[in-house]
């Protein structure tokens, strides 16, 4: 009995030693591969980051960026992000056949994706974004097709050209697919509908054309969909309402037409809806604001929407809106009063519409988060038809406010201004922003009354534009307190009296002054 036990123990020890030897041999082989990989990489400023990749370092699993499995048998993860790598990825990478994750993002990697990547059949995550990788979609995806375990693929912001191949549908384990910021063109193949586990689909800033394929509406696991800044045409499919897990939709900057589908109101988990800069028309479906209870960011600007801004949201006491951007449409009526309950509102942009309302004092009053308030080119009125004081007092209490302006923010998007007013030069815009100076632009509304003397309290004011209204009275002498003022536009009003030359003379940083089309008298000297 004792002899048999001794023999069994010796057998187990030998097996364990054999296994340990095998693990050591495998790891040494993979160490040699890593060293060959380093030799083939072109490293710049971050070369020191891989200094511990050397022959004398026996702790392979401790190499920078290297992860081993729990048995320390194989290299299963390689993270080389932000390492200052240039040049092509060496084909030796394909010899690390146990890799589950490979990250070479945020470098300056160039050249094509090596065909040897197709040998990494255990790979689950591949991050190659933010590089200069080039090649056709056909060649790149043909190299990736053997990776049937792949869950996360990010090749965004490279120089990949061509159309998404039909074969994309064979990567059925994908949960995240990001191909933005390339030169990808053509239509989205219907085989995209085979990726039923997909949760994140980002294909923005490409050259995708055609209609949004109905096959996308089969991706019932999808949480965010971003196909913005492309050349998509047609209508927004009502069937997107099938994607009940969808939290974020961005289809902005395309050529979509038709209405906003009311069925989107069935996406009760949606908090982010961006359809900006399309050719959409019709009303904003009120049901979206009522049923999408966590809605926090809505940007429908630069379309052809008409009617009123929805008058109700899901809760009159709990408003989660952080951004409401509806600029450059044909919206009428008043601002909805539920905005007063949006205590964390940061951006309210309704310029270039047909709104007819009093200035939104109650909406902005005491809001410490408000950053941007754009109201120009509407029919906003003074309080009691001739009192601007309450609104300016409310503005002064918005301690985070940087921009109560508008118009120029959208020029970079290629929008045509609806006003004949000259835009500020880009260098001046940058200066105002970099210095954190406040812009107050309420031009082209229906404001009456006098400019309140309290305007002088806004000592960080960089631009004041009240042009194109019906303001009367004189320019208050308190204007002299605005030491940072660069732009003062008061043209096309009913202002009268003497121009306060001495007060304006103390605004020593003033670059642009326009007082034309008023009723001033006297001289400027």
């Amino acid at each position: 009995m004792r002899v048999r036990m001794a023999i069994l123990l010796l057998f187990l020890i030998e097996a364990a030693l054999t296994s340990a030897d095998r693990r050591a041999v495998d790891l040494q082989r993979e160490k040699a591969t890593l060293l060959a990989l380093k030799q083939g990489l072109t490293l710049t400023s971050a070369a020191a980051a891989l200094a511990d990749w050397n022959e004398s370092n026996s702790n392979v699993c401790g190499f920078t960026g290297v992860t081993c499995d729990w048995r320390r048998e194989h290299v299963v993860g390689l993270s080389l992000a932000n390492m200052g790598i240039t040049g092509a990825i060496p084909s030796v990478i394909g010899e690390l056949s146990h890799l589950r994750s490979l990250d070479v993002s945020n470098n300056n990697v160039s050249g094509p994706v090596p065909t040897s990547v197709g040998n990494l059949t255990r790979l689950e995550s591949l991050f190659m974004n933010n590089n200069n990788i080039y090649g056709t979609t056909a060649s790149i995806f043909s190299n990736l097709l053997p990776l049937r375990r792949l869950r996360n693929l990010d090749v965004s912001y490279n120089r990949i050209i061509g159309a998404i191949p039909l074969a994309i549908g064979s990567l059925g384990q994908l949960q995240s697919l990001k191909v933005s910021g390339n030169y990808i063109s053509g239509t989205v193949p219907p085989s995209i509908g085979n990726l039923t586990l997909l949760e994140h689909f980002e294909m923005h800033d490409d050259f995708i054309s055609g209609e949004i394929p109905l096959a996308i509406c089969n991706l019932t696991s999808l949480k965010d969909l971003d196909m913005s800044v492309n050349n998509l045409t047609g209508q927004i499919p009502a069937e997107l309402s099938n994607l009940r897990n969808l939290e974020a939709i961005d289809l902005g900057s395309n050529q979509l037409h038709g209405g906003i589908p009311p069925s989107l109101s069935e996406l009760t988990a949606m908090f982010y809806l961006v359809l900006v800069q399309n050719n959409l028309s019709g009303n904003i479906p009120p049901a979206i604001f009522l049923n999408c209870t966590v809605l926090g960011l809505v940007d429908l600007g630069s379309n052809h929407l008409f009617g009123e801004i929805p008058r109700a949201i899901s809760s009159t006491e709990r408003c989660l809106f952080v951004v409401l951007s509806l600029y450059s449409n044909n919206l009428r009526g008043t601002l909805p009063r539920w905005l007063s309950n949006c205590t964390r509102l940061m951006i309210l942009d309704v310029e270039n519409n047909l709104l007819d309302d009093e200035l939104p004092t109650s909406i902005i009053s005491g809001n410490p988060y408000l950053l941007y308030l754009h109201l120009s080119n509407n029919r906003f009125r003074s309080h009691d038809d001739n009192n601007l004081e309450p609104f300016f007092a409310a503005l002064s209490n918005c301690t985070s406010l940087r921009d109560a302006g508008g118009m120029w923010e959208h020029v970079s998007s290629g929008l045509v201004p609806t006003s004949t007013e000259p835009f500020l030069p880009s260098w001046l815009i940058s200066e105002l922003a970099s210095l954190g100076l406040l812009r107050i632009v309420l031009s082209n509304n229906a404001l009456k009354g006098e400019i309140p003397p309290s305007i002088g309290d806004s000592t960080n004011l960089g631009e004041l534009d009240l042009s194109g209204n019906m303001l009367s009275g004189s320019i208050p002498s308190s204007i002299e307190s605005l030491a940072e003022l660069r732009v003062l536009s008061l043209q096309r009003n009913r202002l009268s009296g003497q121009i306060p030359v001495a007060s304006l003379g103390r605004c020593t940083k003033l670059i642009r002054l326009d007082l034309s089309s008023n009723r001033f008298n006297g001289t400027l000297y």
Side-chain angles (χ1 to χ4, degrees):
M1 182 68 176
R2 291 180 179 177
V3 173
R4 275 185 284 177
M5 286 295 293
I7 293 173
L8 179 59
L9 183 59
L10 287 172
F11 176 79
L12 292 173
I13 291 173
E14 183 179 357
L17 289 173
T18 302
S19 177
D21 290 342
R22 187 176 64 250
R23 288 199 298 269
V25 169
D26 289 342
L27 205 53
Q28 284 302 308
R29 186 184 303 117
E30 292 179 7
K31 176 182 178 179
T33 301
L34 290 173
L35 295 179
L37 178 62
K38 178 184 176 180
Q39 187 68 30
L41 292 172
T42 304
L43 299 169
T44 56
S45 58
L50 299 183
D52 59 353
W53 287 32
N54 58 68
E55 193 65 55
S56 61
N57 187 355
S58 61
N59 183 17
V60 180
C61 297
F63 277 16
T64 297
V66 169
T67 301
C68 293
D69 60 359
W70 67 275
R71 291 179 176 175
R72 301 176 69 84
E73 289 182 337
H74 297 287
V75 174
V76 297
L78 192 56
S79 179
L80 301 178
N82 301 293
M83 293 285 185
I85 299 171
T86 63
I89 300 173
S91 60
V92 72
I93 190 74
E95 296 179 19
L96 295 172
S97 59
H98 290 267
L99 273 185
R100 298 173 196 161
S101 176
L102 174 60
D103 186 353
V104 294
S105 62
N106 301 310
N107 284 291
N108 197 24
V109 173
S110 58
V113 176
T115 56
S116 61
V117 167
N119 297 333
L120 307 178
T121 54
R122 293 178 172 86
L123 205 62
E124 298 176 0
S125 297
L126 177 59
F127 303 106
M128 308 184 82
N129 49 296
N130 297 93
N131 282 290
N132 284 307
I133 293 169
Y134 58 80
T136 65
T137 51
S139 63
I140 289 173
F141 278 95
S142 66
N143 293 338
L144 300 181
L145 288 180
L147 312 183
R148 297 305 173 92
R149 298 184 185 182
L150 201 60
R151 297 181 182 178
N152 304 295
L153 174 61
D154 190 347
V155 292
S156 54
Y157 297 102
N158 282 288
R159 294 191 291 157
I160 301 169
I161 63 172
I164 298 293
L166 278 169
I168 187 71
S170 63
L171 297 176
Q173 296 300 308
L174 275 179
Q175 297 176 6
S176 178
L177 175 60
K178 301 180 180 181
V179 295
S180 303
N182 284 286
Y183 300 94
I184 297 175
S185 57
T187 59
V188 179
S191 59
I192 199 77
N194 297 340
L195 307 181
T196 55
L197 300 180
L198 201 62
E199 296 181 1
H200 309 283
F201 183 32
E202 296 182 10
M203 189 183 278
H204 59 82
D205 291 276
D206 281 309
F207 297 87
I208 302 296
S209 57
E211 299 187 355
I212 299 171
L214 287 178
I216 283 181
C217 304
N218 297 332
L219 307 179
T220 53
S221 298
L222 206 61
K223 292 182 178 179
D224 66 83
L225 171 65
D226 190 345
M227 300 180 70
S228 61
V229 196
N230 279 292
N231 298 311
L232 295 172
T233 55
Q235 301 190 25
I236 299 172
E239 292 83 356
L240 284 178
S241 61
N242 297 339
L243 310 181
R244 298 303 175 88
N245 292 307
L246 206 57
E247 298 173 351
I249 301 176
D250 192 345
L251 301 174
S253 299
N254 281 289
Q255 301 167 32
L256 301 170
H257 66 268
I260 300 173
S263 61
L264 295 185
S265 64
E266 298 173 30
L267 303 177
T268 55
M270 182 170 62
F271 66 85
Y272 186 101
L273 176 63
V274 176
L275 305 175
V276 65
Q277 295 175 33
N278 278 287
N279 296 310
L280 301 173
S281 57
N283 293 294
I284 301 173
I288 293 177
F289 282 59
L290 271 173
N291 297 342
C292 299
T293 57
V294 294
L295 203 58
L297 188 151
V298 172
D299 189 350
L300 309 178
S302 190
N303 280 288
H304 306 292
L305 302 172
F306 52 78
E308 293 190 325
I309 302 171
R311 313 314 294 169
I313 57 175
S314 58
S315 172
T316 56
E317 298 178 356
R318 183 172 175 266
C319 172
L320 300 179
F321 271 89
V322 176
V323 174
L324 181 61
S325 180
L326 305 172
Y327 70 90
S328 297
N329 281 288
N330 297 303
L331 299 171
R332 297 179 178 272
T334 61
L335 289 174
R337 295 305 177 246
W338 52 259
L339 282 168
S340 300
N341 297 322
C342 301
T343 55
R344 293 185 176 271
L345 190 67
M346 299 177 69
I347 296 176
L348 176 60
D349 188 347
V350 293
E351 68 176 359
N352 299 332
N353 277 288
L354 302 169
L355 298 173
D356 190 341
D357 198 0
E358 278 195 351
L359 289 170
T361 301
S362 62
I363 290 174
I364 68 171
S365 184
N367 184 338
Y369 301 100
L370 190 65
L371 291 171
Y372 301 99
L373 176 66
H374 297 170
L375 304 174
S376 60
N377 295 298
N378 280 285
R379 295 288 295 171
F380 283 105
R381 306 182 302 278
S382 309
H383 293 277
D384 300 325
D385 206 35
N386 66 354
N387 187 5
L388 287 175
E389 182 68 41
F391 181 72
F392 277 90
L395 279 182
S396 66
N397 290 325
C398 296
T399 53
S400 297
L401 190 66
R402 284 291 172 268
D403 196 339
M407 297 239 298
W408 61 259
E409 290 81 1
H410 311 304
V411 175
S412 62
S413 304
L415 301 186
V416 178
T418 58
S419 168
T420 58
E421 301 299 330
F423 284 96
L424 299 185
S426 58
W427 66 266
L428 182 52
I429 292 170
S430 299
E431 180 176 321
L432 293 173
S434 64
L435 295 174
L437 297 180
L438 175 64
R439 300 177 66 236
I440 296 180
V441 179
L442 296 171
S443 56
N444 301 313
N445 277 291
L447 304 179
K448 294 181 180 179
E450 299 186 357
I451 301 172
S454 60
I455 191 67
D457 297 334
S458 301
T459 54
N460 69 329
L461 191 60
E463 179 188 2
L464 177 62
D465 185 351
L466 302 176
S467 61
N469 284 286
M470 295 177 280
L471 299 175
S472 57
S474 60
I475 299 175
S477 59
S478 60
I479 204 87
E480 67 184 22
S481 301
L482 304 179
E484 298 294 335
L485 193 66
R486 267 73 167 174
V487 179
L488 179 60
S489 303
L490 301 177
Q491 67 271 24
R492 294 186 296 107
N493 277 288
R494 300 172 183 175
L495 298 170
S496 59
Q498 295 281 337
I499 296 174
V501 176
S503 296
L504 290 173
R506 293 186 177 92
C507 300
T508 57
K509 297 181 180 178
L510 198 61
I511 297 172
R512 178 183 291 180
L513 173 65
D514 193 340
L515 306 178
S516 61
S517 300
N518 279 287
R519 300 171 181 175
F520 294 116
N521 55 49
T523 62
L524 287 174
Y525 53 86

